[in-house]
Amino acid sequence: FFAAGVLAVHLVKRFATFPDGSKLPRVLLIAQLTLGWYCVSITLTLGNKWIFSVWHDGLRVVMFATTIHMACKGVIAAVALSCQGRGLMQNPHFWCRRSWIAGLCIGVFTGLDVAASNLSLRFVPVSLYTLLKSASIVFLSITATAMGLEPCTRPTVIGVTMMAGGICLAVSTSSGDDPRNQIGLGVLLVLFSEACAALR
């Protein structure tokens, strides 16, 4: 569905004519990027769920797979920068101590986010995993407010409280028939991954 949406938007952008000053091309570009992101996100989520839960009774080496994932991302990023003529060594910020500390923090929190997300897929269904991933806005709001990046306004507090309440309701409903409390562990892992993503 999302792939078809990306293709449709691309065809409209390619063959349609727009008046000068029209905002429609920009809107279509945003729609194309959004649909493309959903395409990749859903594919990765379902693929990871199959690998870690179904394939040969579930891949047991989740952390090893996460390490390979992060290593591949690093190699791809370095190659992309080199192809653009912006090698890491030529970047003056590469040698800055502050950049190394920031990069280290981002890398640690990204690794924890991906590892906890992958591990949680062994314990929670994809539907609950997707719902819990929407909790990122709660953690982002709390983190941004604590760091003074966002003001604490009444609409924000109401919105975050309602979202957190809805997530709690969904989790309590889903974990009702889980005698080994595996869903509870999976929920904690997803929420931990979202906290790491917010800190990142």
Side-chain angles (χ1 to χ4, degrees):
F1 171 76
F2 291 112
V6 171
L7 180 60
V9 171
H10 178 72
L11 291 174
V12 170
K13 281 176 56 184
R14 185 176 178 89
F15 296 109
T17 56
F18 305 101
D20 292 338
S22 173
K23 293 183 179 180
L24 193 55
R26 183 172 177 79
V27 171
L28 289 173
L29 174 63
I30 293 171
Q32 187 176 14
L33 293 173
T34 303
L35 290 172
W37 181 86
Y38 273 110
C39 230
V40 173
S41 178
I42 290 172
T43 303
L44 281 174
T45 300
L46 293 176
N48 284 343
K49 178 65 177 177
W50 180 74
I51 290 171
F52 296 131
S53 298
V54 179
W55 183 55
H56 293 293
D57 199 26
L59 187 66
R60 303 293 179 186
V61 286
V62 177
M63 295 304 169
F64 177 73
T66 302
T67 304
I68 297 298
H69 175 177
M70 299 302 294
C72 289
K73 286 171 71 173
V75 170
I76 291 169
V79 169
L81 287 173
S82 299
C83 290
Q84 294 176 358
R86 299 184 338 199
L88 290 176
M89 301 300 182
Q90 288 76 30
N91 190 334
H93 297 293
F94 180 77
W95 303 103
C96 176
R97 181 172 179 269
R98 186 176 177 182
S99 296
W100 276 91
I101 293 173
L104 178 65
C105 292
I106 292 170
V108 167
F109 284 123
T110 302
L112 289 172
D113 173 19
V114 175
S117 294
N118 287 345
L119 192 58
S120 70
L121 285 169
R122 292 188 55 84
F123 307 111
V124 295
V126 172
S127 56
L128 182 58
Y129 173 87
T130 305
L131 172 71
L132 290 170
K133 277 292 184 178
S134 66
S136 59
I137 189 66
V138 175
F139 289 101
L140 282 171
S141 298
I142 293 171
T143 306
T145 303
M147 292 180 159
L149 301 173
E150 283 286 331
C152 184
T153 61
R154 184 181 297 174
T156 302
V157 171
I158 292 172
V160 167
T161 304
M162 290 179 66
M163 182 171 284
I167 290 170
C168 290
L169 184 62
V171 169
S172 63
T173 305
S174 299
S175 57
D177 54 350
D178 182 30
R180 293 189 296 171
N181 204 28
Q182 285 192 331
I183 289 180
L185 175 60
V187 167
L188 288 176
L189 285 168
V190 178
L191 294 179
F192 175 71
S193 79
E194 288 306 304
C196 290
L199 290 169
R200 174 187 71 201

